[in-house]
Amino acid sequence: MTKTILITGSTDGIGLLTAKKLAVDGHKVLLHGRSAPKLEAAAAAVGGDVETYSADLSDLTAVRELAASVRAKHHKLDVLINNAGVLKAPQTVLANGQDIRFVVNTLAPYLLTELLLPVIPTEGRVVNLSSAAQASVNIKAMQGNVPLADMEAYAQSKLAITIWTQDWPKSRANAPVMIAINPGSLLASKMVKEGFGVAGNDMSIGADILIDAALGERFADASGAYFDNDSGTFANPHAAALDKGHVADVMNTIRGLTNHTG
Ligand SMILES: NC(=O)c1ccc[n+]([C@@H]2O[C@H](COP(=O)([O-])OP(=O)(O)OC[C@H]3O[C@@H](n4cnc5c(N)ncnc54)[C@H](OP(=O)(O)O)[C@@H]3O)[C@@H](O)[C@H]2O)c1
C-alpha cells in the first residue's frame, strides 16, 4: 500500500535520494527544504506525486509553521523522516545564542514530531537521523551558553536526538513507532564532502536503511531502538544514553527550549 511520507532535508544528500526511491515505488512524498530553488529542483528530480514545503529549521517558529502547513493539507501522515541535519555552517551561533546543530538536529525534529503527532497513526513511523558520532550532552552548550567545536556540537546533538527517541515511547501508549538510525558513516553527501573532504561511500546505503526503517517489518516492534547501519544491527547508543540522570537532563532541556512538554 502506498504511504504519505514527509522527509525533512530532502533537497540534497540522503534525504533527496530517499525521496527519489520512495517516489519510484509510488509513495506520496512531501519534500522539505530551506531553499525555494533547491526545492523546485528536488521536485523535478523526484517527479511523481510530490508536494514541497519550505522552512528553515534553525528557526522554531518556522518549524511550527511547517507543521501547520502539513496539517492543513493532510489528515494522515504515515511516516515522518527527520533527516535534515547540519555539521558545519557559515554562522553556527544563532541570533538567540543557540548552536545551530542543537536547533536543527535535535530541537526542530522534536517539535515537528510533537506537532505532527495528531496526524501520524499508531501504525505510522517516525525515523530520526542519528549518527555514529555521539557524545554526552553539555546541557549549558545545548542552552547556548558554552561554544562548541563543529564535531562536538554535532555529536552531542546526535546523542540528544537518540536519547529523545529512546525515551519517547516510554511515556506513550498507542503511539507510532519511533526509531533512531545511524544511516552509515561517511556517505557521499554534501555534508561529508564539505565536512571531511572525502568522496564518501554510496548514499544508497543510507537511503535504503531509511526506507527499511520507515516501512520494513523488522522495525515494526522496534520503537525506541537505535539501529547502527555501520554494523547492520540494533545497538546500544553512547553509554550516556543509559544514564538516567543524563537522560532526564537532556529531555527537560529539549522540552524547555522547544516550549513543548509533549
Ligand atoms: N552522510 C553521512 O555519512 C551521514 C552519517 C551519519 C548521519 N548523517 C545524517 O543524515 C542526515 C542527512 O545528511 P546528509 O549527509 O544527506 O547531508 P546533506 O547532503 O548536507 O543534506 C542535509 C539536508 O538537510 C537540509 N538542511 C540543513 N540545514 C537546514 C536548515 N537549517 N533548515 C532546513 N533544512 C536544512 C539541507 O538543505 P540544503 O539542501 O538547503 O543544504 C539538506 O536538504 C543528517 O541528519 C546527517 O546528520 C549523515
Side-chain angles (χ1 to χ4, degrees):
M1 203 170 46
T2 60
K3 309 272 186 188
T4 301
I5 300 173
L6 170 60
I7 309 173
T8 66
S10 37
T11 48
D12 217 320
I14 301 167
L16 177 57
L17 184 59
T18 304
K20 285 178 183 168
K21 286 175 177 252
L22 286 167
V24 165
D25 287 345
H27 299 290
K28 181 168 184 68
V29 183
L30 314 189
L31 299 171
H32 157 266
R34 58 180 160 174
S35 146
K38 282 190 82 166
L39 261 178
E40 214 174 292
V46 170
D49 188 16
V50 295
E51 291 173 14
T52 59
Y53 294 86
S54 181
D56 185 337
L57 301 186
S58 66
D59 173 3
L60 294 186
T61 302
V63 174
R64 291 178 186 277
E65 289 166 3
L66 169 61
S69 304
V70 172
R71 288 185 60 174
K73 290 194 78 168
H74 296 276
H75 298 299
K76 185 179 169 218
L77 179 68
D78 296 297
V79 179
L80 167 60
I81 303 181
N82 283 309
N83 165 78
V86 60
L87 165 61
K88 291 187 176 177
Q91 190 148 357
T92 57
V93 179
L94 299 168
N96 64 3
Q98 288 177 1
D99 187 293
I100 194 169
R101 276 65 60 113
F102 282 118
V103 179
V104 173
N105 301 353
T106 310
L107 303 180
Y110 172 86
L111 185 58
L112 186 63
T113 303
E114 289 292 339
L115 296 174
L116 289 177
L117 200 53
V119 294
I120 305 177
T122 311
E123 65 277 13
R125 300 209 186 154
V126 177
V127 179
N128 289 335
L129 269 287
S130 181
S131 170
Q134 300 177 4
S136 303
V137 180
N138 178 334
I139 299 295
K140 287 199 166 77
M142 196 179 193
Q143 290 165 330
N145 300 323
V146 175
L148 294 177
D150 290 335
M151 265 318 279
E152 279 182 301
Y154 179 80
Q156 292 187 25
S157 72
K158 290 298 184 181
L159 184 64
I161 193 171
T162 309
I163 283 176
W164 156 51
T165 304
Q166 173 188 268
D167 189 70
W168 194 78
K170 291 183 186 155
S171 57
R172 311 269 178 173
N174 301 320
V177 167
M178 184 185 283
I179 305 143
I181 302 272
N182 164 27
S185 293
L186 297 179
L187 306 181
S189 67
K190 159 167 71 67
M191 179 187 288
V192 161
K193 287 175 190 159
E194 290 174 1
F196 303 102
V198 296
N201 302 318
D202 183 358
M203 284 196 298
S204 279
I205 295 167
D208 291 346
I209 196 65
L210 294 190
I211 292 169
D212 199 4
L215 304 172
E217 212 29 62
R218 69 172 158 155
F219 288 90
D221 296 319
S223 205
Y226 167 62
F227 187 88
D228 171 25
N229 204 32
D230 287 329
S231 59
T233 54
F234 291 101
N236 282 328
H238 185 285
L242 304 175
D243 176 335
K244 284 186 181 155
H246 190 62
V247 169
D249 288 346
V250 170
M251 290 310 303
N252 287 335
T253 307
I254 292 175
R255 292 187 187 110
L257 291 172
T258 55
N259 202 14
H260 202 289
T261 49

